[in-house]
Amino acid sequence: MEAPTSNALAALVSYGDDPESPDSTLQQPSPKFGQPVAILDAPSQSVGGVAGGSGDGAQAGGAMRDRLPDGRVRSFPHVEGNYPGHAFISVGRAQGLVEAGIEAISSASNLLGEGRKLHTVLGDDRHISVSRTFALRRHQIESLVQDLKTQLKSIPSFEIQLSGSEVLTNDDKTRSFVVVRLTAGVEKMRSVIRAVDRTLARWQIEPYYAQQKFHVSVAWFAGSPSDEEGAALSEPRATSTVTWMVKSVQAKIGARSYNFKLRGS
């Protein structure tokens, strides 16, 4: 089997290159590699069932999604004047996550059939999502940012643990993800989700997925596992345990990044 590549996975959600430019630049230069990226479909199903993910299959918002040559799919419809956004908790600097990711990728590589090309998610792109991808008009951004700051500053900093890997597949089976699972701190994570949902509800933005399976994607491959691969991948596999103190929540809206500190950080 071909070894996992060291190519960067374009971030699951990416944003316009020009801070004053809206959704007309959904494909934009990656800040690290200068390669075009797109808003991509997120994992939504485990091999054995639903895991909470990106949504509606081959179409989004009534528009067909763009399929990229490597199997990725842009799952967010282009609307002129919209700024795409995403809230998340960055864990890329968590000590031990590199090792756990290597273990997860190695385990998946051994169970996948020959010909599967695994693409590694680089450390700085590794995160836990706490919102769906959403879209705002320019005049809405500052109010939403201030509301997020207000909602999140009352939540105390908290510790999480990541351990064990599995493979998740998006709803329309265009991509599958090797992930390391959140195993401790789940209720605290849900409190962050509720705070973000309360803010986004003011703009009629859909809340986070009802079926929540928190994880960090460490690699992906095009398509979904075969029946034989699915049987082998159906059970979580052991990895090293990663401990991380969550002190802030991040968001990107358009090309701008925001950092919201939690209480006590």
Side-chain angles (χ1 to χ4, degrees):
M1 150 148 207
E2 186 172 357
T5 72
S6 59
N7 297 333
L9 167 63
L12 292 180
V13 182
S14 55
Y15 307 89
D17 184 48
D18 180 353
E20 302 305 322
S21 156
D23 192 44
S24 58
T25 57
L26 276 181
Q27 288 201 337
Q28 55 104 7
S30 165
K32 188 175 296 182
F33 293 94
Q35 298 298 319
V37 297
I39 293 181
L40 307 174
D41 47 347
S44 61
Q45 291 187 340
S46 65
V47 171
V50 175
S54 65
D56 63 353
Q59 294 188 351
M64 289 301 294
R65 298 187 295 174
D66 299 330
R67 186 178 298 274
L68 304 179
D70 60 5
R72 293 174 295 155
V73 175
R74 182 163 86 167
S75 63
F76 200 87
H78 171 83
V79 178
E80 188 68 28
N82 275 0
Y83 291 77
H86 179 227
F88 57 94
I89 293 172
S90 177
V91 295
R93 298 183 184 277
Q95 187 173 2
L97 185 56
V98 170
E99 290 78 7
I102 291 171
E103 292 164 0
I105 293 168
S106 176
S107 177
S109 297
N110 292 334
L111 296 173
L112 290 170
E114 292 187 11
R116 293 284 192 189
K117 184 176 182 179
L118 283 171
H119 303 261
T120 303
V121 181
L122 291 193
D124 286 348
D125 291 331
R126 294 179 177 182
H127 64 270
I128 302 171
S129 294
V130 295
S131 81
R132 298 175 187 253
T133 304
F134 54 84
L136 293 172
R137 309 301 283 184
R138 181 177 178 180
H139 68 275
Q140 297 173 318
I141 295 173
E142 187 57 32
S143 294
L144 182 137
V145 167
Q146 292 304 315
D147 281 357
L148 279 175
K149 181 178 180 180
T150 299
Q151 289 285 341
L152 291 167
K153 70 180 182 181
S154 63
I155 297 176
S157 300
F158 60 95
E159 187 177 273
I160 62 172
Q161 286 187 347
L162 301 158
S163 180
S165 70
E166 61 183 303
V167 173
L168 308 180
T169 300
N170 64 0
D171 281 338
D172 54 7
K173 302 185 185 303
T174 57
R175 281 209 303 165
S176 296
F177 300 81
V178 180
V179 309
V180 179
R181 304 179 304 148
L182 180 74
T183 53
V186 173
E187 288 306 316
K188 295 292 186 180
M189 192 69 68
R190 286 175 178 156
S191 70
V192 172
I193 298 289
R194 289 191 291 270
V196 173
D197 280 349
R198 283 194 297 270
T199 298
L200 299 184
R202 292 188 55 194
W203 282 266
Q204 289 76 52
I205 294 171
E206 202 171 359
Y208 197 67
Y209 311 102
Q211 292 181 304
Q212 298 164 358
K213 197 165 192 177
F214 299 113
H215 59 269
V216 177
S217 294
V218 295
W220 66 275
F221 59 90
S224 60
S226 66
D227 290 343
E228 183 177 349
E229 291 170 334
L233 294 165
S234 60
E235 294 297 325
R237 317 289 290 189
T239 68
S240 303
T241 297
V242 179
T243 300
W244 179 246
M245 193 70 182
V246 177
K247 298 181 178 180
S248 62
V249 175
Q250 292 72 41
K252 282 192 176 181
I253 305 172
R256 293 178 178 170
S257 298
Y258 301 89
N259 189 64
F260 306 100
K261 290 185 178 181
L262 302 183
R263 179 159 57 88
S265 62

